Amino acid sequence: MAGSSVSSVAVPYLAVVELNASTAHVSALVFLTQLPSLLVTLHAGALADRHPKRPLMIGGDLVCVVVLLTLPLAAALDRLTFQQLVAVAFVQATAGVVHDAAAIAYLPTLLDRSLLQQGNSRIGGLFSLSATAGSSLGAVLVSVLGAARALLADALSYAVSAWCTTRIRVSEAPLSPRTGNTKLRPEIAEGVRYVFADTTLRTLTLTNSAVSFALGVLNTVWALYLLRELRFTATAFGLVMGAATLGSCAGALLAPRMTRWYGPGPMMLAALALTPLTQIPLLIASPGRSWQIAIGAALAVQLFCAAAAGTTQRSIRQMITTPRLQGRMQAVSSWLTGGSRPFAAPLAGAIGTLHGVRSALIVGTVLLLVPVAVLALSPVRSLRALPVPTPDPGGDPPTRADVPAPANEGAPLTKEGDRP
């Protein structure tokens, strides 16, 4: 996460400032980066349910190491092109989809299901702190080394991630033997039917997809708007992103407490309703340090809401999903969530090219009202407690993850449960 946050500063700066990418080029880069979410996610989820998850995670990390190293090498030889940047981003995103499908489905193997929200909260908080450090480091590295060489930090981070994953000592449950048909399509179809047959899973998945599409419109032109129209320097861009990510850390860590206070349904609805309001400073801003501070503060609130709602909805989905379908359940959600973004990127690019970048930001802000309506019109809005896990209708034997939440569910994680 720290390395990816370095890239979140370095890649836009490399594309916009050093390679002189236009609005259309930036939209194409974002589109191709997000395309694997549409093409690969469902298959990655089925693979995660069919094969051991650790090798998939390690393999995805190692692919990212190799392709990222080609960028600083090409820059050193003065051969770096925008086309190579796009190709690397596409391969990296594809490997990331495989890694993430396995990693998210792996968590219920490592934690009792009653501790999943606590675990997601801790991991989300640590990821946010890592992202904050990475964004600040990215700003420094881009200023000192240049954007291309700064990507060496991201390549190193993937190598460390692969090594850390090899250190996990928890064994996965034995996979069910498969005979006859080895195609993934029937297993993918089973996962889709499972998600859409359940009201809670269906509602949370559609809400996530609507949020993702709106943010896809905003994020396509966000860096371009800040760097070009509001004249952010690389340092200011990185520091604003890093400081704002602290909001994500707070939202993730406070999510279990807010869930106990208000209930998961009302808390998620309030978080979604606040998110469009956080875009107002961005829409009315002009160049200047005071507006940079205001945009950073608004982004911190947005990320606080996103982390609180995201941690809670992910925990709910993991709690109510049978172990043998964890990978496919997550893949369906990720497919609809990430798969909507490739369509958002060209929409944002077209609006930005024809009517200006600020108009694209306005459209994205309006679209953030859609997930509020989806959740408000569903029974999930009134969910007052985390659900109790239900038995697997497919006949899986009970596992420790199927044990109902104990009376002290809100207690801190034990040393054993802290292990991500």
Side-chain angles (χ1 to χ4, degrees):
M1 185 60 66
S4 296
S5 296
V6 171
S7 287
S8 72
V9 177
V11 170
Y13 195 84
L14 183 62
V16 174
V17 178
E18 297 189 13
L19 296 177
N20 297 315
S22 65
T23 301
H25 285 145
V26 172
S27 299
L29 173 63
V30 175
F31 172 78
L32 290 172
T33 300
Q34 295 168 350
L35 191 59
S37 296
L38 184 64
L39 300 180
V40 181
T41 298
L42 291 176
H43 295 80
L47 288 172
D49 283 339
R50 177 182 284 193
H51 300 288
K53 298 173 182 59
R54 277 205 310 161
L56 293 175
M57 297 164 62
I58 295 169
D61 282 338
L62 294 179
V63 168
C64 291
V65 172
V66 173
V67 297
L68 276 169
L69 287 175
T70 67
L71 293 175
L73 178 61
L77 298 174
D78 199 24
R79 295 293 183 88
L80 182 61
T81 64
F82 182 77
Q83 289 76 13
Q84 181 184 352
L85 182 65
V86 169
V88 168
F90 179 82
V91 174
Q92 182 185 1
T94 302
V97 166
V98 175
H99 175 283
D100 292 347
I104 296 172
Y106 196 24
L107 184 63
T109 300
L110 307 181
L111 291 179
D112 289 339
R113 203 166 289 196
S114 61
L115 292 174
L116 278 173
Q117 191 186 30
Q118 293 279 337
N120 279 316
S121 171
R122 299 290 178 87
I123 293 171
L126 288 171
F127 277 9
S128 298
L129 289 176
S130 301
T132 301
S135 296
S136 301
L137 178 62
V140 173
L141 291 177
V142 169
S143 299
V144 174
L145 301 178
R149 285 190 289 273
L151 294 172
L152 288 169
D154 197 9
L156 176 62
S157 76
Y158 279 107
V160 173
S161 174
W163 179 81
C164 289
T165 306
T166 66
R167 306 290 295 171
I168 298 175
R169 301 305 185 195
V170 177
S171 301
E172 297 183 53
L175 299 173
S176 302
R178 300 179 187 277
T179 58
N181 189 2
T182 59
K183 294 183 178 179
L184 292 177
R185 185 175 298 176
E187 297 172 31
I188 293 172
E190 181 186 12
V192 173
R193 289 194 300 270
Y194 182 85
V195 169
F196 281 92
D198 185 279
T199 301
T200 301
L201 291 176
R202 181 175 64 248
T203 299
L204 294 177
T205 299
L206 293 176
T207 300
N208 289 346
S209 180
V211 170
S212 179
F213 185 83
L215 292 180
V217 173
L218 291 167
N219 293 341
T220 297
V221 295
W222 190 76
L224 183 69
Y225 182 67
L226 265 58
L227 291 170
R228 186 165 292 172
E229 299 199 14
L230 297 185
R231 298 196 289 275
F232 274 49
T233 64
T235 301
F237 183 64
L239 291 177
V240 164
M241 291 180 65
T245 308
L246 293 175
S248 177
C249 178
L253 293 177
L254 291 175
R257 184 174 299 179
M258 291 190 294
T259 297
R260 292 194 299 272
W261 286 348
Y262 307 111
M267 186 273 283
M268 290 189 293
L269 183 60
L272 290 175
L274 279 174
T275 301
L277 300 179
T278 63
Q279 304 304 311
I280 294 175
L282 186 67
L283 298 177
I284 64 177
S286 56
R289 181 169 298 178
S290 59
W291 281 113
Q292 292 175 0
I293 296 172
I295 289 171
L299 182 60
V301 175
Q302 176 189 327
L303 294 181
F304 178 95
C305 295
T311 296
T312 304
Q313 62 83 16
R314 176 177 290 178
S315 301
I316 291 172
R317 290 188 291 110
Q318 289 171 330
M319 286 175 178
I320 65 178
T321 299
T322 177
R324 68 185 181 86
L325 284 161
Q326 284 283 344
R328 281 168 284 175
M329 175 279 296
Q330 181 59 41
V332 172
S333 177
S334 298
W335 180 63
L336 289 173
T337 300
S340 65
R341 292 192 176 188
F343 300 102
L347 174 63
I351 296 173
T353 300
L354 296 174
H355 303 289
V357 176
R358 195 186 297 260
S359 297
L361 294 172
I362 292 173
V363 171
T365 301
V366 172
L367 288 172
L368 283 173
L369 298 173
V370 175
V372 181
V374 172
L375 189 60
L377 295 174
S378 77
V380 180
R381 72 184 185 279
S382 58
L383 192 63
R384 292 290 177 176
L386 292 173
V388 176
T390 55
D392 177 16
D396 281 354
T399 68
R400 73 173 179 160
D402 293 319
V403 177
N408 62 341
E409 179 183 25
L413 286 178
T414 63
K415 204 172 186 68
E416 178 74 29
D418 270 332
R419 185 172 47 193

